[in-house]
């Protein structure tokens, strides 16, 4: 796929750039530019990001950063089996456990919540930083709900991180997940409280907590430009522009074509002679003025 000319490999993360140093310079630059495009498009245009990731993977499949980027791109478009394979490959190359929660979520995506829940109890979780452990807790709660254990999902999310008033990058998502779990078991008032707390912490707009709150309050938003919504009369109907009125044809003052006799002007009466302009002027020599030099009558 073509890459915009203004995209350079210099935009890539410093750690990734160091990994690419093992490649020939030109190849490293091509791979880096594709990875930049993956990062730019992943949130808004995941399908395009996926295509760029496949190019990078074809060029440098032995680079861990490339396998990881391909994994996230596959995950974003719902190709969970591909994503899991790429994450496993990246983990083998680096020995790092930070991908453990997203690997478990891939298991959920593939319809294997039991496997995701089992991964939540394995030793790799203890190697995760605090953010990674919170992420793993949310994946485990999701697996509980997949298995029909809604009450257990609520309990899984109850933790010191949830109770903390400190705002962290993961706070909004954790509070949102808890509110959603409460709603699933019919605890609507508590759910509303936690959706409000999620909205309070959501400085980047990573959740739709405001919409969920509005839904609980019975507020419905209607797109006035949506033709499907407009059909039921709730939305504003488009105003039809009035057509420009065509001017009516003026009635001819002449009702019928005059005959040759009608076209003959009558001789002016003697009393009206002074009101009629002379046909030609008389020059000082007493001669009638003729046409000018270009042949037109004056």
């Amino acid at each position: 796929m073509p890459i915009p000319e203004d995209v350079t490999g210099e935009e890539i993360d410093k750690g990734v750039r160091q990994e690419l140093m093992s490649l020939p310079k030109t190849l490293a630059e091509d791979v880096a530019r594709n990875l930049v495009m993956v990062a730019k498009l992943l949130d808004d245009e995941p399908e395009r990001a996926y295509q760029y990731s496949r190019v990078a993977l074809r060029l440098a499949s032995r680079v861990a950063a490339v396998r990881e980027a391909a994994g996230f791109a596959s995950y974003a478009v719902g190709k969970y089996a591909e994503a899991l394979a790429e994450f496993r490959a990246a983990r083998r190359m680096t020995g790092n456990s930070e991908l453990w929660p997203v690997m478990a979520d891939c298991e959920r995506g593939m319809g294997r919540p039991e496997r995701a829940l089992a991964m939540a109890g394995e030793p790799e979780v203890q190697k995760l930083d605090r953010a990674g452990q919170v992420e793993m807790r949310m994946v485990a709660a999701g697996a509980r709900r997949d298995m029909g254990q809604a009450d257990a999902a609520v309990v899984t999310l109850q933790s010191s991180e949830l109770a903390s008033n400190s705002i962290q990058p993961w706070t909004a998502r954790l509070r949102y997940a808890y509110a959603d779990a409460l709603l699933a078991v019919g605890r609507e008032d508590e759910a509303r409280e936690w959706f409000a707390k999620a909205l309070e912490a959501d400085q980047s707009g990573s959740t739709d907590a405001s919409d969920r709150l509005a839904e609980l309050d019975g507020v419905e938003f209607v797109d006035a430009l949506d033709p499907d919504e407009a059909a039921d009369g709730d939305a504003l109907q488009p105003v039809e522009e009035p057509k420009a009125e065509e001017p009516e044809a003026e009635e001819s003052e002449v009702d019928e074509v005059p005959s040759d006799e009608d076209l003959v002007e009558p001789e002016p009466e003697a009393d009206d002679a002074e009101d009629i302009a002379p046909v030609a002027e008389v020059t000082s020599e007493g001669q009638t003025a003729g046409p000018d030099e270009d042949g037109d009558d004056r």
Side-chain angles (χ1 to χ4, degrees):
M1 295 179 65
I3 299 176
E5 294 181 1
D6 59 343
V7 174
T8 68
E10 296 299 321
E11 300 177 58
I12 205 70
D13 180 83
K14 184 178 179 180
V16 176
R17 193 160 57 245
Q18 289 179 341
E19 282 192 64
L20 297 178
M21 289 178 64
S22 61
L23 302 174
K25 186 176 180 179
T26 302
L27 178 59
E29 176 67 15
D30 288 343
V31 174
R33 294 178 70 210
N34 277 281
L35 293 182
V36 169
M37 292 303 297
V38 173
K40 285 178 177 290
L41 300 170
L42 191 60
D43 293 333
D44 299 325
E45 300 182 64
E47 286 291 347
R48 288 185 64 200
Y50 175 76
Q51 296 300 324
Y52 282 109
S53 75
R54 304 314 290 180
V55 174
L57 189 61
R58 187 171 64 250
L59 295 174
S61 61
R62 296 185 180 182
V63 177
V66 171
R67 304 303 289 265
E68 184 176 327
F72 279 110
S74 298
Y75 180 83
V77 296
K79 297 180 181 292
Y80 299 114
E82 279 187 23
L84 184 57
E86 299 302 338
F87 289 142
R88 283 174 173 169
R91 184 169 176 268
R92 283 195 302 270
M93 293 175 181
T94 63
N96 200 322
S97 297
E98 65 181 12
L99 294 172
W100 196 253
V102 70
M103 290 170 63
D105 207 37
C106 285
E107 295 284 3
R108 284 187 61 210
M110 295 167 65
R112 301 191 298 220
E114 315 85 13
R115 177 57 186 152
L117 197 59
M119 291 177 69
E122 295 187 16
E124 281 78 3
V125 177
Q126 303 306 316
K127 300 176 184 178
L128 298 171
D129 59 13
R130 193 179 183 191
Q133 291 184 2
V134 170
E135 194 69 34
M136 191 72 244
R137 189 178 292 276
M138 288 190 283
V139 172
R144 289 287 189 188
R145 291 183 63 177
D146 292 343
M147 296 167 67
Q149 302 172 5
D151 289 304
V154 172
V155 175
T156 300
L157 291 168
Q158 293 172 345
S159 60
S160 59
E161 291 84 6
L162 181 66
S164 174
N165 291 325
S166 174
I167 304 299
Q168 303 294 333
W170 36 261
T171 301
R173 293 179 58 247
L174 178 60
R175 291 177 179 180
Y176 182 95
Y178 187 57
D180 199 38
L182 288 169
L183 193 60
V185 296
R187 295 160 64 175
E188 187 172 308
D189 291 341
E190 292 175 83
R192 193 194 182 289
E193 176 187 350
W194 281 96
F195 276 129
K197 289 183 177 181
L199 180 59
E200 181 182 293
D202 193 3
Q203 300 173 352
S204 63
S206 60
T207 72
D208 64 345
S210 61
D211 292 341
R212 300 297 297 275
L213 275 172
E215 183 180 340
L216 288 174
D217 291 339
V219 178
E220 183 177 356
F221 298 98
V222 178
D223 185 356
L225 299 180
D226 187 345
D228 295 331
E229 295 290 345
D232 61 10
D234 293 335
L236 295 176
Q237 298 291 337
V239 178
E240 183 177 355
E241 295 184 2
K243 296 181 179 179
E245 296 184 1
E246 297 181 0
E248 296 183 2
E250 296 183 359
E251 294 183 2
S252 174
E253 296 182 357
V254 181
D255 295 330
E256 57 184 15
V257 178
S259 64
D260 293 340
E261 295 179 357
D262 294 332
L263 294 176
V264 177
E265 296 184 1
E267 292 289 337
E269 297 181 3
D271 294 341
D272 297 334
E274 61 183 12
D275 295 333
I276 300 174
V279 176
E281 295 182 1
V282 178
T283 63
S284 57
E285 288 80 6
Q287 296 179 349
T288 303
D292 58 10
E293 294 179 356
D294 60 3
D296 296 330
D297 292 335
R298 293 186 187 271

